[in-house]
């Protein structure tokens, strides 16, 4: 069964510190993974997806199939990174369903 | 730019009322989704639809129904609202080719 686990409900760091938001998944096939972000009073939006291999707003995420992880990292956090972050898995359905983790609320302190 | 709109940002209803939440997307997407978002529980899928008049149950369909009469519009119906349905409701759409889901601004529903 498909499952996404984000072990940290809350994460706090200081501005300029590195940040890592953890995501582990359970899926027997070849996964497609995403990170979505929701800033205060804004709609949920795609941050990045692993097949793009992009760095968005300084964030990167590497798919580790051995550890079934897709952790989101940024070397120097900024206050504007404070938001709710969701990891999501496409379970291979042609119907487009995504499986979301419970989210991690990141707070970056000045 | 993909635009997903939801009919209301805030709604207050009474227990037992029938509630309609409307979602419209303008990108000709085949797939549409309804989620509820609760603190500590994340996003939970209620129902989704992959074509007009087609629907699939998500993880928490009890107490809800949906309607998709036109491709661009997906409605969520609370047949008899209860206080435990107080939540933020998010609509999303996607195309099979792209997988990325685009979200609406959300409707915050309070059931008294």
């Amino acid at each position: 069964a498909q499952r996404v686990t984000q072990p940290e409900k809350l994460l706090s760091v200081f501005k300029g510190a590195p940040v890592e938001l953890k995501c582990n998944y359970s899926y027997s096939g070849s996964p497609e993974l995403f990170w979505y972000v929701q800033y205060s009073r804004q709609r949920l939006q795609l941050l990045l997806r692993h097949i793009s291999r992009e760095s968005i707003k300084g964030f990167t995420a590497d798919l580790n199939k051995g550890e079934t992880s897709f952790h989101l990292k940024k070397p120097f956090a900024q206050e504007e990174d404070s938001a709710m972050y969701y990891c999501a898995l496409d379970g291979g359905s042609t119907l487009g369903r995504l499986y979301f983790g419970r989210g991690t609320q990141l707070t970056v302190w000045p | 730019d993909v635009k997903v709109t939801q009919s209301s940002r805030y709604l207050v209803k009474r227990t037992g009322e029938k509630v309609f939440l409307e979602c419209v997307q303008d990108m000709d997407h085949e797939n549409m989704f309804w989620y509820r978002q609760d603190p500590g529980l994340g996003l939970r899928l209620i129902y989704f639809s992959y074509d007009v008049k087609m629907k699939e149950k998500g993880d928490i369909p009890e107490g809800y129904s949906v309607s998709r009469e036109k491709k661009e519009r997906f409605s969520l119906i609370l047949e008899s609202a209860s206080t435990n349905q107080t939540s933020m409701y998010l609509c999303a759409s996607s195309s099979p080719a792209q997988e990325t889901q685009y979200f609406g601004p959300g409707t915050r529903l309070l059931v008294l």
Side-chain angles (χ1 to χ4, degrees), chain B residues 41-108:
Chain B
L41 297 178
L43 283 153
R44 292 183 291 168
L45 183 64
I46 305 171
Y47 267 98
F48 63 107
S49 169
Y50 53 93
D51 203 348
V52 174
K53 297 192 187 295
M54 306 304 289
K55 61 185 180 185
E56 291 281 336
K57 291 180 180 179
D59 298 321
I60 52 164
E62 298 79 17
Y64 303 95
S65 62
V66 290
S67 172
R68 191 156 180 211
E69 297 295 320
K70 293 185 178 181
K71 191 175 184 180
E72 67 271 19
R73 187 179 298 269
F74 192 35
S75 302
L76 179 70
I77 303 151
L78 286 66
E79 297 291 343
S80 177
S82 64
T83 55
N84 62 14
Q85 292 178 310
T86 290
S87 187
M88 171 70 89
Y89 289 87
L90 300 182
C91 175
S93 71
S94 72
S95 69
Q98 210 185 14
E99 298 159 329
T100 301
Q101 289 189 12
Y102 296 87
F103 285 83
T107 295
R108 190 170 291 281

Side-chain angles (χ1 to χ4, degrees), chain A residues 36 38 43 49 86 96-97, chain B residues 4 37 59 98-99 101:
Chain A
Y36 281 80
Q38 189 171 31
R43 65 181 69 194
R49 51 191 298 182
Y86 293 97
R97 175 178 178 163
Chain B
V4 180
Q37 183 181 33
D59 298 321
Q98 210 185 14
E99 298 159 329
Q101 289 189 12

Side-chain angles (χ1 to χ4, degrees), chain A residues 57-71:
Chain A
K57 300 187 179 185
F59 283 98
T60 58
D62 291 318
L63 177 61
N64 185 323
K65 292 186 178 181
E67 295 183 357
T68 60
S69 69
F70 187 56
H71 302 328

Side-chain angles (χ1 to χ4, degrees), chain A residues 3-94:
Chain A
R3 186 185 300 169
V4 176
T5 302
Q6 293 180 249
E8 304 134 331
K9 198 184 283 190
L10 302 169
L11 184 62
S12 289
V13 299
F14 285 103
K15 177 182 171 182
V19 63
E20 180 179 69
L21 292 89
K22 291 183 170 28
C23 172
N24 289 91
Y25 67 91
S26 173
Y27 179 55
S28 57
S30 185
E32 295 283 342
L33 285 148
F34 306 78
W35 278 99
Y36 281 80
V37 61
Q38 189 171 31
Y39 301 103
S40 179
R41 302 186 201 283
Q42 294 187 28
R43 65 181 69 194
L44 193 61
Q45 59 186 293
L46 178 70
L47 178 63
L48 56 80
R49 51 191 298 182
H50 92 271
I51 62 170
S52 301
R53 298 185 182 279
E54 291 175 300
S55 173
I56 306 292
K57 300 187 179 185
F59 283 98
T60 58
D62 291 318
L63 177 61
N64 185 323
K65 292 186 178 181
E67 295 183 357
T68 60
S69 69
F70 187 56
H71 302 328
L72 184 68
K73 299 176 186 178
K74 185 168 183 177
F76 307 103
Q78 303 298 314
E79 289 177 68
E80 55 265 31
D81 296 327
S82 295
M84 177 68 85
Y85 291 81
Y86 293 97
C87 183
L89 165 71
D90 181 329
S93 164
T94 56

